[in-house]
Amino acid sequence: MSGVVVVLERVPGGIASVCGEAAGAARALAGGGPVVGLLVGPGDSTAATELAVDKVLTADGPEFEHPSTAQLGALAAAAADAAPATTILFPGTARGRDGVGRTAIRWGASAATSVTEVTRDESGSLHVRRPVFGGRATEELELPGPRHVLSLKPHAFPLPPARSPPASSEPLAIPDSPKSSRPVEVTGFTPTAGGKGPELGDASIVVSGGRGLRSPENFGLVEELAESLGAAVGASRAVTDAGWRPGSYQVGQTGRAVSPQLYIALGISGAIQHIVGMVSSRVIVAVNSDPHAPIFQVADYGIVGDALQIVPALTREVRKARGL
Ligand SMILES: Cc1cc2nc3c(=O)[nH]c(=O)nc-3n(C[C@H](O)[C@H](O)[C@H](O)COP(=O)(O)OP(=O)(O)OC[C@H]3O[C@@H](n4cnc5c(N)ncnc54)[C@H](O)[C@@H]3O)c2cc1C
């Protein structure tokens, strides 16, 4: 029986959806031990208390609105000591991956990022699997105990049902150091340009378009399909380099890595630099006019044809099926 702390991440209007999966993974790993959520930053904690956790500890002072990695590590370690817990789980977000190393060093723990499977053996060691080399191989690691810090690959773990009644929430007794440990001063934030839908790295469906769309105006077809599905919009580098859409849309080696439940690639050839950013998606659908396009080698479902004809038809059918 080992307690687990799940570090929860605020997003506008709630909690990053991948935190729910992390709470479910924590429950399975805790083996009956306490599962405690740590919610950092000022704001409402209702959404956090509806996750599969026993209790939520909050650090809601204004100094934690944009916590530095050092602050996050110190708060996570304090929450783990309070829980008590032997494992800290970060969700599969950029901040989550960033938090792992600092927290592990501070807390004296072994660590792994982008974990897709995790079990605990009788000695207290964790056995984890995680994709490496852009998803082309899987690494198996034994992390010796007693303490572990992990980040999880988005969508690798099932989302448990919402908790009812909600968990209790109470303030974390905050050690002195995180209040003052601001080696980096955040002076401002500029939101990245994105589609209207969910955040790219967080979305369970991503619809991406490539040069096969032929013009920035036609790229709107990608956005319409994404909107009908409640999906995030991505793009190949050919699209972002051409200025059709901002660089923040780019999926791939020099863009974002995504692993949604469903990835739809429209007019994208499937260059290796694109593939490494999306190959760990659960189901991949590709539309391309060239039957020999490399994207079909990684696609679960392929449609050979003109995206300019097929995408509007898909959007119509999705809207009809969803009553939109
Ligand atoms: C160091 C480096 C890093 C890179 N990083 C990235 C990265 O992070 N992400 C990334 O995406 N790329 C990256 N690239 C670029 C990558 O190599 C490819 O050039 C790029 O992915 C190609 O984009 P594309 O598939 O949209 O365009 P293209 O390769 O031009 O492919 C367009 C596809 O559309 C199809 N098509 C054409 N017309 C239609 C139609 N009407 N309907 C349907 N299909 C149609 C074509 O058959 C073709 O397969 C990188 C390259 C380098 C050298």
Side-chain angles (χ1 to χ4, degrees):
M1 206 166 82
S2 310
V4 180
V5 161
V6 187
V7 181
L8 308 175
E9 190 166 319
R10 290 188 184 280
V11 292
I15 302 289
S17 67
V18 285
C19 294
E21 302 163 13
R27 175 68 66 207
L29 194 59
V35 176
V36 173
L38 169 66
L39 185 59
V40 178
D44 185 37
S45 59
T46 310
T49 59
E50 289 165 355
L51 301 178
V53 297
D54 300 314
K55 181 165 70 176
V56 175
L57 293 173
T58 57
D60 55 6
E63 68 274 30
F64 300 131
E65 179 151 18
H66 300 297
S68 66
T69 312
Q71 287 177 312
L72 209 53
L75 292 170
D81 292 341
T86 56
T87 306
I88 297 172
L89 289 190
F90 282 89
T93 60
R95 175 167 286 171
R97 283 191 299 279
D98 196 31
V100 169
R102 178 77 74 137
T103 307
I105 288 169
R106 181 181 184 98
W107 200 44
S110 46
T113 55
S114 296
V115 168
T116 53
E117 287 178 37
V118 53
T119 53
R120 192 189 302 278
D121 71 18
E122 284 159 11
S123 74
S125 296
L126 293 190
H127 297 261
V128 305
R129 287 165 67 88
R130 55 185 224 119
V132 289
F133 303 124
R136 293 184 164 232
T138 301
E139 182 176 54
E140 294 181 11
L141 294 171
E142 179 177 346
L143 305 179
R147 291 177 165 182
H148 311 96
V149 181
L150 309 177
S151 74
L152 306 180
K153 185 103 182 143
H155 311 305
F157 294 86
L159 183 65
R163 191 195 143 102
S164 177
S168 61
S169 116
E170 62 185 69
L172 171 70
I174 295 172
D176 277 345
S177 55
K179 289 183 191 157
S180 54
S181 64
R182 291 194 69 99
V184 174
E185 191 64 33
V186 179
T187 55
F189 274 82
T190 307
T192 50
K196 281 187 234 152
E199 210 278 319
L200 190 55
D202 205 17
S204 52
I205 305 177
V206 173
V207 182
S208 282
R211 187 154 35 205
L213 271 302
R214 305 221 179 123
S215 74
E217 292 74 31
N218 288 340
F219 196 88
L221 298 175
V222 176
E223 289 159 338
E224 283 170 19
L225 178 59
E227 193 177 351
S228 72
L229 288 164
V233 179
S236 71
R237 180 158 157 183
V239 164
T240 56
D241 277 357
W244 295 1
R245 291 299 181 271
S248 54
Y249 281 57
Q250 187 181 313
V251 171
Q253 180 186 322
T254 44
R256 302 287 298 275
V258 298
S259 55
Q261 305 284 355
L262 173 62
Y263 186 87
I264 304 179
L266 306 168
I268 292 178
S269 59
I272 184 63
Q273 296 90 352
H274 187 82
I275 298 288
V276 294
M278 45 63 81
V279 71
S280 58
S281 306
R282 189 151 289 179
V283 175
I284 297 171
V285 175
V287 178
N288 197 299
S289 53
D290 174 5
H292 303 295
I295 192 75
F296 289 130
Q297 288 169 17
V298 297
D300 299 285
Y301 300 93
I303 304 173
V304 177
D306 182 357
L308 303 182
Q309 306 281 322
I310 292 165
V311 179
L314 279 176
T315 306
R316 265 197 309 279
E317 290 306 315
V318 171
R319 283 187 180 146
K320 214 187 298 172
R322 301 191 69 197
L324 300 175

